[in-house]
Amino acid sequence: MSEVSAAPERLYAKREAVHPQLVHGKYRFTKWLVLFATLGVYYFLPWLRWPRAAHEPQQAVLVDFEGARLYFFNIEIWPDEFYLVTGILVLSALALFFVTSVWGRLWCGYACPQTVWTDLFIAVERMVEGDRNKRLQLAKKPWTADKILKKVTKHSLWLLIAMATGGAWVLYFHDAPTVISKFFVGQAPASSYLFVGVLTFTTYSLAGLMREQVCTYMCPWPRIQGAMTDDKTFAVGYYALRGEPRGKHKKGQDWSELGDCIDCHACVTACPMGIDIRDGDQLECINCGLCVDACDTMMKKVGLPKGLIAYGADYRDVKDPKARRRWPQIIRPRTLFYAGVTILASAIMLFGLTGRSSLEFGVERDRAPAFTRLSDGSIRNAITARVLNKQSETHPFTIEIDGPEGLTTAAVGYEIEDGQIHFDVAPDKQIRLRIFLTMPKGEGDGDEITVTLTDDVTGETSSESLGFLGGSRR
Ligand code: SF4
Ligand code: SF4
């Protein structure tokens, strides 16, 4: 009988916490700028006021469910114009495809909310517990009062940020000062508490506890973006021909057999994803450039040219640092395609935005009965004209009805002069006019009747046509 091993092989490896070291350099600086800009916009935008008509909300950016409207500075999106929001999302996706095809995962490295909030949470952690080495030491220490205090402080600050994140989200859906004043006395809508709770939980756990695991295991984008990149895409890479064979460059020793990599591990300890870029292209790499800053700092210290790790497309082939290509090759069939589709989509969006109508007009006919025979034998069709004034002031409107000879018209509650009905519609209001169209006995069957609405201030018109029914009845 064969012997059975007593200890089964373990296939599960426990996650090692990543404690990135703070680095300094142009990419770290750019990341700080993007972090402050994006978080600044997110947290403060709902507080920005915007002058509108008295009956409208004065908040610059607001999703107003009650009024069925989306306000974005001087743009108002009505429910029937929601395709514009879809268009903006499609446009953003196309722009992202273009950026990814040129510069790789720049979105992941700099602007993705997961990256930005994780960066913020790590900055807080660093502020409370110290930089990488101190954090590693603290993790190994027993639970002393000092350790407990640091951990409680860190998690409390994380929770505060997470709550502020959920709170800011809610402000986009209500008047910000009003909902805040009600929130802390328990009078805000129940949905506000729900969303603050959900977003506090997700921000705290995704950015504080799970961090790089979200990008590696949960996010589909790293898998999808492979379809947008090729060997010309600029991504962070290690110039292995120059760096290898790696080894410590010790004083007084001959370095001639060694490559430029001094094996200092600065690039590894700086990486927020916990990977070693020297191992080659990896799914985990978010293209953030922090290892570039770390390595450039080391290269400067040892008096070697920068760029052993750099943004490039030629890092697999180039040895001489002077021969390194500094700028991406933007004009390629793939990028031209993405740019072309993005420009086309932008033009369609612009056309849709500028060509929007400030009024909405519709005509519906009565279906049951479709027509009525009057006592003198004439035939009457009834229609309802619906007029919605999307402007911020009351506007006068005119409805004019054109039809075959013999057509007489009447409107419930309105005078008709020379075939025209004049009326006012208040801002954001809709009115319905009930109109009767009458033709003499035996005339006008199937004849076209046109109902035209004119905004008497802007001159904008809209027409609807319908055929007269029942005129052949004798
Ligand atoms: S390998 Fe470099 S670029 Fe990639 S995630 Fe790590 S630090 Fe960022
Ligand atoms: S930082 Fe540069 S020199 Fe140091 S290990 Fe990384 S690649 Fe080598």
Side-chain angles (χ1 to χ4, degrees):
M1 251 175 85
S2 63
E3 269 185 37
V4 179
S5 166
E9 190 189 352
R10 276 183 69 81
L11 298 175
Y12 173 74
K14 198 166 174 267
R15 174 206 174 212
E16 299 233 345
V18 178
H19 291 292
Q21 172 94 27
L22 178 63
V23 292
H24 303 283
K26 59 184 174 191
Y27 298 115
R28 178 62 268 181
F29 181 70
T30 310
K31 273 175 73 68
W32 286 134
L33 281 186
V34 175
L35 183 145
F36 284 116
T38 49
L39 292 182
V41 168
Y42 177 72
Y43 287 119
F44 296 109
L45 195 58
W47 296 100
L48 196 65
R49 311 309 278 174
W50 193 257
R52 294 197 186 93
H55 68 281
E56 289 184 305
Q58 308 294 306
Q59 191 161 311
V61 179
L62 179 70
V63 182
D64 180 7
F65 275 114
E66 234 167 77
R69 209 76 46 82
L70 192 155
Y71 296 93
F72 187 79
F73 296 91
N74 60 346
I75 298 174
E76 270 182 43
I77 308 276
W78 288 65
D80 62 320
E81 295 167 337
F82 209 73
Y83 64 91
L84 289 170
V85 178
T86 314
I88 287 168
L89 293 178
V90 170
L91 196 58
S92 310
L94 290 170
L96 183 59
F97 294 172
F98 173 76
V99 170
T100 305
S101 66
V102 178
W103 288 282
R105 292 174 67 185
L106 268 202
W107 162 260
C108 302
Y110 291 82
C112 169
Q114 174 62 25
T115 295
V116 171
W117 262 279
T118 300
D119 225 8
L120 176 67
F121 275 50
I122 290 175
V124 169
E125 186 175 67
R126 191 178 289 127
M127 189 181 78
V128 177
E129 298 181 357
D131 210 350
R132 175 183 159 83
N133 287 341
K134 286 193 175 160
R135 298 207 298 277
L136 287 171
Q137 284 164 12
L138 189 71
K140 286 181 194 148
K141 271 187 184 172
W143 283 96
T144 59
D146 175 59
K147 180 168 174 174
I148 293 170
L149 181 68
K150 281 183 173 155
K151 294 287 176 193
V152 169
T153 310
K154 178 181 84 174
H155 286 279
S156 305
L157 288 172
W158 280 0
L159 276 170
L160 272 178
I161 296 171
M163 267 187 76
T165 305
W169 176 260
V170 166
L171 301 184
Y172 285 91
F173 297 87
H174 301 277
D175 180 63
T178 312
V179 78
I180 279 285
S181 63
K182 288 182 176 174
F183 190 86
F184 292 106
V185 291
Q187 289 174 356
S191 60
S192 308
Y193 297 100
L194 178 73
F195 276 100
V196 170
V198 169
L199 284 164
T200 301
F201 172 74
T202 49
T203 309
Y204 174 78
S205 42
L206 297 184
L209 306 179
M210 296 168 76
R211 298 186 182 179
E212 81 288 346
Q213 297 176 94
V214 177
C215 312
T216 306
Y217 304 116
M218 292 167 70
C219 179
W221 182 238
R223 281 90 186 159
I224 297 168
Q225 55 102 35
M228 282 143 227
T229 55
D230 52 33
D231 57 1
K232 303 253 179 350
T233 299
F234 246 49
V236 171
Y238 169 62
Y239 284 76
L241 292 179
R242 176 186 157 195
E244 300 295 323
R246 68 187 76 164
K248 304 275 181 214
H249 287 198
K250 290 184 183 146
K251 252 190 182 173
Q253 286 185 358
D254 178 23
W255 297 2
S256 57
E257 295 301 311
L258 292 175
D260 282 356
C261 175
I262 58 172
D263 208 14
C264 62
H265 277 241
C267 52
V268 183
T269 57
C271 179
M273 301 302 293
I275 58 169
D276 186 343
I277 191 68
R278 296 173 299 169
D279 294 343
D281 298 340
Q282 287 154 80
L283 181 82
E284 293 89 342
C285 178
I286 56 170
N287 228 21
C288 66
L290 294 182
C291 54
V292 180
D293 282 341
C295 189
D296 280 352
T297 307
M298 297 315 295
M299 290 292 104
K300 201 173 162 202
K301 275 188 188 162
V302 296
L304 290 170
K306 290 178 179 178
L308 177 55
I309 300 175
Y311 282 94
D314 53 5
Y315 50 80
R316 298 172 197 90
D317 319 309
V318 169
K319 182 170 186 182
D320 181 0
K322 288 196 192 106
R324 184 163 67 82
R325 195 184 164 103
R326 308 288 161 127
W327 293 100
Q329 190 181 331
I330 295 179
I331 299 174
R332 291 151 31 209
R334 174 191 295 275
T335 53
L336 287 177
F337 173 75
Y338 290 138
V341 179
T342 308
I343 291 167
L344 183 70
S346 308
I348 293 170
M349 284 292 298
L350 202 65
F351 181 74
L353 261 177
T354 50
R356 287 188 316 151
S357 172
S358 57
L359 57 89
E360 201 178 297
F361 178 53
V363 175
E364 295 149 19
R365 65 158 76 247
D366 279 9
R367 302 234 170 253
F371 59 88
T372 312
R373 190 198 303 271
L374 301 183
S375 55
D376 61 355
S378 58
I379 299 295
R380 190 172 78 184
N381 287 191
I383 60 170
T384 302
R386 185 177 55 83
V387 181
L388 174 62
N389 178 13
K390 291 181 173 177
Q391 289 154 118
S392 51
E393 305 104 33
T394 298
H395 274 218
F397 290 91
T398 300
I399 280 182
E400 190 163 10
I401 300 162
D402 275 336
E405 209 176 321
L407 177 74
T408 55
T409 53
V412 178
Y414 293 90
E415 292 285 318
I416 297 193
E417 293 167 28
D418 303 328
Q420 294 184 336
I421 312 167
H422 300 279
F423 55 94
D424 289 346
V425 184
D428 288 358
K429 292 285 179 240
Q430 172 174 278
I431 66 162
R432 288 171 177 274
L433 286 87
R434 193 148 167 74
I435 299 169
F436 297 118
L437 313 166
T438 309
M439 286 295 291
K441 185 178 177 183
E443 290 182 27
D445 188 47
D447 283 355
E448 187 175 272
I449 295 172
T450 306
V451 186
T452 305
L453 174 78
T454 305
D455 181 328
D456 295 335
V457 176
T458 63
E460 192 180 347
T461 61
S462 178
S463 293
E464 291 275 326
S465 295
L466 56 135
F468 190 80
L469 297 181
S472 63
R473 300 257 168 167
R474 292 174 184 275

